[in-house]
Amino acid sequence: MCDKYMESFFSIRLSIRDCCCGLLGFAAMLVVSLFAVSGPVFAQPDAAAQQEALLERITRSAAEIDTIKCEFLQERKVSGLQKELVSKGLFYYQKPDKLRWEQREPLRAGFVVNGKRLKKWRGQEPPQVTEITKDRGISTFAEQVFAWSRADFDWLKKRYEITVINSQLPVLKLVPLSNDERRFVQDITISFTRPGEIRAVEIREKDGNFLRITFEKAVLNGQIDQELF
Amino acid sequence: MRGLSGLFVFLYSRISGHRLLLLIITLAVLGVATVMTCRISMDEDLAAMLPDSKEIRTGLGLLKQMPLSRKILVNVSLHNTSERQRLLEAGDRLAASMAPPLFSKVVLGPETADEMRLFAWLTRSLPYFFTDEDAAKLERELTREAIRAKTARVYEELFLPTGSAAAFLFQADPFDLRTIALEKLRFLSLVPNMRLQENRFVSADGRNLLLFAETGISVTDSGGSRKLVEEFDRLKRTVLPVGTEAELLSGHSYAAANADRIKQDLSVVLTASLAAMLVLFLVFLRTWSSLLIFLVPVAVLTLSTSAIILIYGKVSAVTIGFASVLLGITDDYPLHIYFAMRKAGHEAGKVVAEIAQPICFSALTLFGAFGALVFSTLPGQRQIGIFSMAGILGSVVLSLLVLPHFVRPAKASDRPDVRPSRGRGKPKGRTVTIACWLAVLGFLLGEGLTVGFDGDIRSLNYVSKEIRTAEGRLKETWGDFSGMSIIAVRGNSVESVLKANERLFVGLKSTDRLVNAAGVLPSMASQEENRERWIRFWSGGPGKARVNYLLAEAEKLGFSRDLFTPFLEKLSAANDAAPVTLDSLRANGLGIILDQLALRGESFSLISLVPDIPGVETVVKKSETPGATISFVSPSHFRALISASLMHNFAGYLVAALLIIVAFLALLFRNWKKVIYGLVPVLTGVAFMTGIMGLMNIRFNVFNVVAAILVVGLGVDFGIFMVYKGSEGYDYDTDKSVLLGGLTTVTGIGALVLAQHPALRSIGTTVLIGLAGAIPSALLVIPALQSFERKRM
């Protein structure tokens, strides 16, 4: 109902947290996926130079990623909710503008973005097909995922302070620069078991809330059935 | 008649001995007039051409208050890229570069930089917005089942990565009460498809960004407008990042485009005119002294402009525009003088005396015809009337008193015998000519009754391809926010205006796309009622029961009861926020909209916009309350009003002018047949003009009705001379003078038909069609009628 009114007036941007949480998880995953291509780069002695070299290498490697397929496990802690919420499913991405979030447990739900087209589904409800611009949350989410896929660090640095906090077991930390985003998101931490393999993306929010997405079994540049988009 | 002839013989003989003195005096007078004309103060307000009625003045004043009409709109868009951050960057860069003196203020988004501030304030102020209707709607829609479904949906949403916002909103406002305020905010939507992104106005598809700019340059200042548009083009080229583009749309872009178009048109038209004039010169004149013929109208122009400056202080731009029409009329007398003097030989004084008669009577008749304009309801036409009368007077004086002394007679060998003619004896096919003329006249007079009047001033604006594209893109991207009816509620006290505005809102709120501030700015009395209603609702049965449903359903899914504590505290704290005022709305980010809707002048007024549909006027009348008046104008009604007034004015002018012309012709000829012959070119010109315009669906507008006056004036002129020629023993190349007088007008004004500017082209078309009837009828029909009459005798 809210969406209806937001459509009718210049909508109040209430989905900042939404966008941040979603996009950063995926952004992190994409960044991490790029590590897989670019290989280990953390043996550099100087931290700033090491970070720049890393980011530069990621940017170069971005061009080599065409598709990503992986499983995800999402854990969310919300204050006021007694238990943690856990969901599982599959994520697909294809350059330049296709992605599919397919939640399989505990409820079948998800969405597909294919260019300007958005398809959403939830449980037994019939799927909704609409234009991506009709859903601000998902459109912002998708837009930023696609932007991250290009590894445009000039743009990213305008929005986040990016720090490599551990080079042995790589950990990338992103802190939002804008006050709007900081109101909801403290920081995002991306952890790796080893360079090139994602461990987890954790978004720490205010009030002790957090969202953790763990990626497993990532396949880069594999074939993806186009029917999925 | 003899007295008049004697007078001019006397004047000619007295002046002929002092040609040098005459030249000095003439040049001195014209020098003073030229200096005055150079210091001209031009009034560019087109309102001068609108009827002088109270209703139209009020409507025009109201239309000038149309929201956003005084703003410069800049649409920044993404091109070949989908990076939204680049769009925001383009907007920021462009806004920062649009600096004084050309741009005084640029607005990218609401004044408040905090996007959440408006939302938080709206939520706090909800008690003051809570109407009876809102309470009933909540009771109707907030059922136990709806609460259960909502709670379950939010819970499911949390499993998705996009679920955080849902959780936040659910905690802050589980009943979606903010929609009550958002529903009212909907009525402030001046630009339908506008959204807010990072505190900037962004389109629904996220690919366009809107800037609002202000400037001190008036939209009537075409030079300043051109500078502004050029500066914007320069900024566009230099500051916009790759992949973005920008378009400016404001009265200035129209003014600059119109000025440019007119400039280009005039160069085409003037070239064509000069070329045609050269041909006329080579065919008909071929002497240096004939150039004086062309100097008389120019001199007349300075004299009449000076007269207007002396009377009015400043000259309407429309009057100056009419100057070309005046040129077309005032070159006739010097032409007659020129041809007569070329034949004069040693009897120049006698010739002047002879030709003075038709010239004076023609001038008197035209004086009367243009004098009728002085009683027009259009101020611009009144000024044109005086301008024309001064011009005719100047042309008569220069033609009869000055010009004869400087036109050299042709050599005796080149001079044909001066044989006063009574017209052609037996023009071939006169019966056919008269029959054809009557048939065409009858047909065209019938068609002329269908000619329409166009009161839409905008249709006379030249809209360039670039502006049309920008208009289309703006409409497609941001929605159509033009063509709305405007309503203004005025009163001495803010409260009385707010009360009347509330009544208006209630009456019109079911109308699609209503813009009205009453939803977020109820009267103080209503706000107090709303607040009491809110307290009753949430402390009593309906609200309390719904809170209990919510807590129970949320608990079933594992939500803590404490989750909603802040929300429940807000429900019971109805005194937390202060009542809503204009200042509080401004302070919370709605200033840019309220500045367009709430105006403080001599009295406080609130503007509303509503689609141009029937029935609005009835609601407006019912909404008036003591202490507040409501004015209303719809574009369609305003156009109809102007059209009707133009038609009434034009018909009135035609009737008055014809009566005056008939009276003068009767006085001159004292013969009803000659009066009818004299009227032939006028009637034929008017019949052609109205008939062909009716056939071609060309309508009269505020510009070409003025041109129509020229057809009447020239028609009278042609008629008098041709009747004189055929019946008064006068023939000094009259046919040639009439033909050349008509052709110079056709080449001078009719050439405007080549223009692309709608207003110029409409003038050219009207004149061309009118003269296409008037000239041939004068040259062919009058002699045929006279010949026919003589044969019967």
Side-chain angles (χ1 to χ4, degrees):
Chain A
M1 189 161 180
C2 175
D3 279 350
K4 177 186 161 193
Y5 292 102
M6 288 185 178
E7 287 294 328
S8 64
F9 190 66
F10 56 75
S11 60
I12 299 159
R13 194 174 144 88
L14 298 172
S15 55
I16 293 167
R17 173 198 288 208
D18 189 10
C19 302
C20 290
C21 299
L23 94 88
L24 290 173
F26 285 101
M29 188 192 67
L30 284 166
V31 169
V32 170
S33 302
L34 294 169
F35 276 75
V37 176
S38 60
V41 289
F42 297 101
Q44 304 292 328
D46 175 71
Q50 172 186 304
Q51 177 168 315
E52 284 310 307
L54 169 66
L55 300 184
E56 203 179 310
R57 191 157 183 185
I58 291 169
T59 305
R60 280 202 308 273
S61 303
E64 297 173 28
I65 303 287
D66 290 327
T67 64
I68 300 168
K69 177 186 175 184
C70 64
E71 293 178 6
F72 70 81
L73 172 74
Q74 178 186 296
E75 298 160 275
R76 187 192 291 278
K77 171 80 180 83
V78 179
S79 62
L81 198 58
Q82 287 148 6
K83 58 178 181 183
E84 268 187 31
L85 302 178
V86 179
S87 58
K88 293 178 183 174
L90 295 170
F91 169 72
Y92 302 84
Y93 162 77
Q94 182 174 319
K95 193 184 269 183
D97 58 1
K98 293 179 186 175
L99 69 84
R100 178 185 179 95
W101 176 271
E102 184 182 327
Q103 178 185 298
R104 294 191 163 183
E105 292 177 28
L107 175 77
R108 285 193 171 268
F111 51 85
V112 169
V113 177
N114 186 346
K116 290 181 178 176
R117 179 175 163 273
L118 168 68
K119 181 181 173 185
K120 296 190 287 186
W121 65 93
R122 184 196 298 252
Q124 299 303 312
E125 292 174 16
Q128 290 176 34
V129 178
T130 178
E131 281 181 25
I132 181 75
T133 51
K134 304 281 183 195
D135 191 316
R136 288 199 59 203
I138 296 177
S139 70
T140 311
F141 168 81
E143 179 194 53
Q144 298 204 30
V145 167
F146 297 144
W148 274 81
S149 72
R150 293 190 300 274
D152 183 353
F153 283 103
D154 287 339
W155 180 81
L156 289 168
K157 283 175 184 173
K158 283 180 189 168
R159 299 181 70 103
Y160 306 104
E161 184 188 339
I162 305 171
T163 319
V164 178
I165 56 171
N166 189 340
S167 59
Q168 296 305 311
L169 285 174
V171 177
L172 205 61
K173 187 175 177 183
L174 292 92
V175 178
L177 295 175
S178 95
N179 286 335
D180 280 347
E181 292 192 22
R182 288 168 84 134
R183 196 197 303 264
F184 301 103
V185 176
Q186 276 185 319
D187 56 53
I188 304 107
T189 307
I190 306 160
S191 310
F192 308 81
T193 47
R194 61 175 182 273
E197 188 174 330
I198 312 161
R199 170 78 183 111
V201 176
E202 185 170 319
I203 298 154
R204 287 199 298 146
E205 302 170 348
K206 298 287 183 189
D207 304 325
N209 294 354
F210 71 81
L211 173 74
R212 184 187 302 120
I213 305 174
T214 307
F215 301 101
E216 294 174 335
K217 300 177 186 172
V219 178
L220 304 179
N221 290 332
Q223 284 289 324
I224 297 179
D225 184 355
Q226 293 304 299
E227 292 292 313
L228 291 171
F229 299 113
Chain B
M1 295 278 185
R2 280 181 189 162
L4 191 67
S5 301
L7 174 67
F8 279 97
V9 170
F10 170 74
L11 287 174
Y12 183 83
S13 63
R14 290 301 298 266
I15 296 170
S16 61
H18 306 88
R19 284 177 61 185
L20 183 62
L21 182 64
L22 174 69
L23 184 65
I24 292 169
I25 293 172
T26 306
L27 291 177
V29 171
L30 292 179
V32 171
T34 307
V35 169
M36 284 179 73
T37 305
C38 289
R39 292 180 179 174
I40 190 171
S41 165
M42 193 123 59
D43 179 4
E44 294 188 352
D45 193 352
L46 192 61
M49 284 313 289
L50 297 181
D52 201 11
S53 79
K54 190 187 169 195
E55 198 177 2
I56 289 176
R57 295 279 155 194
T58 307
L60 192 65
L62 211 51
L63 285 173
K64 282 181 177 174
Q65 293 183 332
M66 183 70 85
L68 301 182
S69 64
R70 297 174 302 277
K71 297 275 183 194
I72 296 171
L73 304 182
V74 176
N75 184 52
V76 184
S77 55
L78 287 176
H79 182 62
N80 294 333
T81 177
S82 56
E83 292 177 60
R84 297 189 185 190
Q85 203 58 33
R86 195 170 288 188
L87 179 70
L88 304 185
E89 186 189 341
D92 290 352
R93 281 202 208 171
L94 198 58
S97 65
M98 292 168 70
L102 291 174
F103 299 98
S104 53
K105 184 182 177 187
V106 184
V107 177
L108 268 162
E111 285 87 341
T112 168
D114 189 342
E115 294 167 5
M116 298 300 290
R117 187 169 174 174
L118 176 63
F119 172 69
W121 175 79
L122 280 173
T123 312
R124 277 202 312 278
S125 304
L126 270 176
Y128 297 105
F129 299 133
F130 196 60
T131 61
D132 245 346
E133 202 177 319
D134 297 325
K137 191 177 172 196
L138 269 190
E139 281 200 54
R140 197 172 56 247
E141 293 182 359
L142 212 54
T143 61
R144 184 165 204 157
E145 179 52 33
I147 293 169
R148 192 200 64 74
K150 169 80 192 288
T151 312
R153 193 161 192 89
V154 170
Y155 182 75
E156 288 171 3
E157 194 80 30
L158 288 172
F159 289 99
L160 289 166
T162 51
S164 297
F168 167 77
L169 284 176
F170 186 57
Q171 182 179 5
D173 182 15
F175 291 148
D176 290 335
L177 296 179
R178 64 191 173 281
T179 58
I180 295 172
L182 289 170
E183 165 67 13
K184 295 171 202 305
L185 273 181
R186 191 164 66 84
F187 293 99
L188 289 185
S189 179
L190 283 174
V191 183
N193 296 340
M194 187 184 275
R195 307 285 183 271
L196 205 61
Q197 186 181 332
E198 300 195 23
N199 208 45
R200 294 163 182 91
F201 299 124
V202 177
S203 64
D205 64 2
R207 298 186 60 84
N208 294 266
L209 185 143
L210 198 61
L211 304 180
F212 298 96
E214 290 175 14
T215 178
I217 296 169
S218 162
V219 288
T220 56
D221 175 2
S222 53
S225 296
R226 167 49 49 211
K227 275 186 196 164
L228 186 137
V229 171
E230 283 173 355
E231 172 66 1
F232 179 77
D233 287 342
R234 189 188 68 78
L235 294 175
K236 227 168 57 168
R237 286 194 303 274
T238 51
V239 306
L240 285 182
V242 177
T244 59
E245 55 189 7
E247 289 160 319
L248 176 144
L249 202 65
S250 76
H252 305 86
S253 41
Y254 291 93
N258 273 269
D260 288 351
R261 183 70 262 164
I262 288 171
K263 224 179 270 178
Q264 288 170 29
D265 279 347
L266 286 183
S267 68
V268 170
V269 168
L270 283 177
T271 308
S273 290
L274 285 174
M277 290 278 189
L278 185 67
V279 171
L280 292 178
F281 178 81
L282 291 173
V283 172
F284 293 99
L285 303 168
R286 284 180 285 184
T287 64
W288 288 112
S289 62
S290 63
L291 291 176
L292 290 171
I293 297 168
F294 299 105
L295 289 181
V296 171
V298 176
V300 162
L301 203 60
T302 58
L303 289 171
S304 2
T305 307
S306 309
I308 293 296
I309 294 170
L310 284 173
I311 298 169
Y312 289 96
K314 59 181 180 179
V315 185
S316 161
V318 181
T319 304
I320 294 300
F322 189 76
S324 57
V325 175
L326 190 64
L327 288 173
I329 296 171
T330 53
D331 71 350
D332 280 11
Y333 302 149
L335 270 171
H336 286 293
I337 287 285
Y338 173 81
F339 283 115
M341 293 308 293
R342 292 285 290 168
K343 286 186 172 183
H346 297 293
E347 296 179 318
K350 192 181 160 195
V351 171
V352 171
E354 201 172 332
I355 202 168
Q357 287 179 23
I359 286 182
C360 286
F361 278 108
S362 166
L364 271 176
T365 313
L366 284 180
F367 229 74
F370 286 117
L373 283 177
V374 174
F375 302 100
S376 167
T377 56
L378 281 64
Q381 283 196 358
R382 293 200 289 270
Q383 198 178 81
I384 285 171
I386 292 174
F387 182 72
S388 306
M389 288 195 289
I392 290 160
L393 184 65
S395 181
V396 168
V397 170
L398 286 171
S399 300
L400 290 176
L401 300 182
V402 181
L403 194 60
H405 300 281
F406 298 99
V407 177
R408 293 170 60 189
K411 290 174 188 169
S413 56
D414 297 341
R415 196 185 311 147
D417 291 339
V418 179
R419 277 189 295 111
S421 158
R422 296 182 67 82
R424 291 181 184 90
K426 282 188 177 179
K428 284 183 181 175
R430 58 176 182 264
T431 313
V432 176
T433 305
I434 294 169
C436 288
W437 172 68
L438 285 172
V440 171
L441 198 67
F443 172 70
L444 291 178
L445 280 173
E447 287 298 323
L449 297 174
T450 64
V451 71
F453 286 78
D454 183 4
D456 188 1
I457 304 166
R458 289 179 310 172
S459 68
L460 299 171
N461 237 346
Y462 170 72
V463 182
S464 65
K465 195 179 166 192
E466 292 76 24
I467 293 179
R468 200 176 295 284
T469 307
E471 275 179 344
R473 197 169 306 175
L474 209 70
K475 193 172 176 180
E476 189 186 330
T477 306
W478 301 101
D480 187 6
F481 49 94
S482 59
M484 303 275 275
S485 300
I486 182 166
I487 305 167
V489 183
R490 290 192 181 86
N492 293 326
S493 77
V494 173
E495 182 68 3
S496 63
V497 172
L498 293 180
K499 279 184 178 169
N501 194 46
E502 265 178 350
R503 288 169 66 101
L504 192 66
F505 178 68
V506 170
L508 294 173
K509 73 176 171 185
S510 59
T511 310
D512 185 34
R513 291 194 51 214
L514 169 72
V515 176
N516 182 294
V520 290
L521 189 60
S523 66
M524 286 300 140
S526 295
Q527 288 194 44
E528 184 50 31
E529 279 177 29
N530 292 343
R531 195 182 67 86
E532 286 170 5
R533 183 177 298 110
W534 174 274
I535 293 168
R536 281 198 307 276
F537 188 89
W538 293 110
S539 62
K544 204 166 186 178
R546 279 152 182 83
V547 168
N548 290 335
Y549 297 157
L550 169 72
L551 295 177
E553 290 299 331
E555 204 165 12
K556 281 184 200 168
L557 292 169
F559 286 105
S560 150
R561 278 181 164 257
D562 296 341
L563 183 70
F564 301 109
T565 304
F567 169 70
L568 298 177
E569 282 172 355
K570 273 184 204 163
L571 289 184
S572 56
N575 294 321
D576 269 8
V580 180
T581 62
L582 272 169
D583 290 339
S584 62
L585 287 166
R586 280 202 177 92
N588 288 286
L590 295 174
I592 189 165
I593 296 167
L594 287 172
D595 287 346
Q596 303 297 311
L597 300 182
L599 309 174
R600 285 188 190 277
E602 287 174 14
S603 60
F604 174 67
S605 60
L606 273 176
I607 301 291
S608 298
L609 300 178
V610 68
D612 192 358
I613 51 171
V616 174
E617 203 165 0
T618 315
V619 177
V620 166
K621 280 178 185 162
K622 283 182 185 168
S623 303
E624 288 205 348
T625 54
T629 56
I630 306 183
S631 323
F632 161 73
V633 63
S634 80
S636 62
H637 177 65
F638 192 65
R639 281 195 297 271
L641 207 62
I642 293 177
S643 299
S645 191
L646 274 182
M647 189 174 74
H648 182 257
N649 195 68
F650 183 66
Y653 166 74
L654 270 186
V655 171
L658 284 174
L659 286 176
I660 292 167
I661 290 166
V662 168
F664 275 102
L665 290 181
L667 197 68
L668 169 64
F669 293 126
R670 298 169 197 274
N671 177 322
W672 66 270
K673 282 182 183 169
K674 289 181 186 174
V675 171
I676 290 173
Y677 299 159
L679 284 173
V680 164
V682 180
L683 290 176
T684 315
V686 171
F688 261 67
M689 190 173 61
T690 54
I692 294 177
M693 285 173 73
L695 272 173
M696 295 173 70
N697 201 23
I698 301 170
R699 290 183 291 174
F700 277 112
N701 56 55
V702 292
F703 289 103
N704 62 7
V705 289
V706 176
I709 298 165
L710 171 71
V711 174
V712 173
L714 279 177
V716 173
D717 192 43
F718 297 160
I720 289 174
F721 278 95
M722 290 306 293
V723 171
Y724 245 83
K725 177 196 168 187
S727 61
E728 303 292 328
Y730 164 91
D731 185 10
Y732 292 102
D733 280 344
T734 310
D735 289 18
K736 204 188 274 184
S737 300
V738 166
L739 181 61
L740 198 53
L743 289 180
T744 51
T745 309
V746 166
T747 54
I749 306 164
L752 288 174
V753 79
L754 299 174
Q756 288 185 36
H757 193 285
L760 295 182
R761 196 172 54 234
S762 75
I763 293 172
T765 309
T766 311
V767 169
L768 212 56
I769 296 173
L771 291 186
I775 298 173
S777 69
L779 294 174
L780 302 174
V781 179
I782 295 177
L785 286 170
Q786 288 176 321
S787 166
F788 197 73
E789 185 194 352
R790 277 196 295 277
K791 191 188 172 194
R792 288 181 61 192
M793 286 164 66

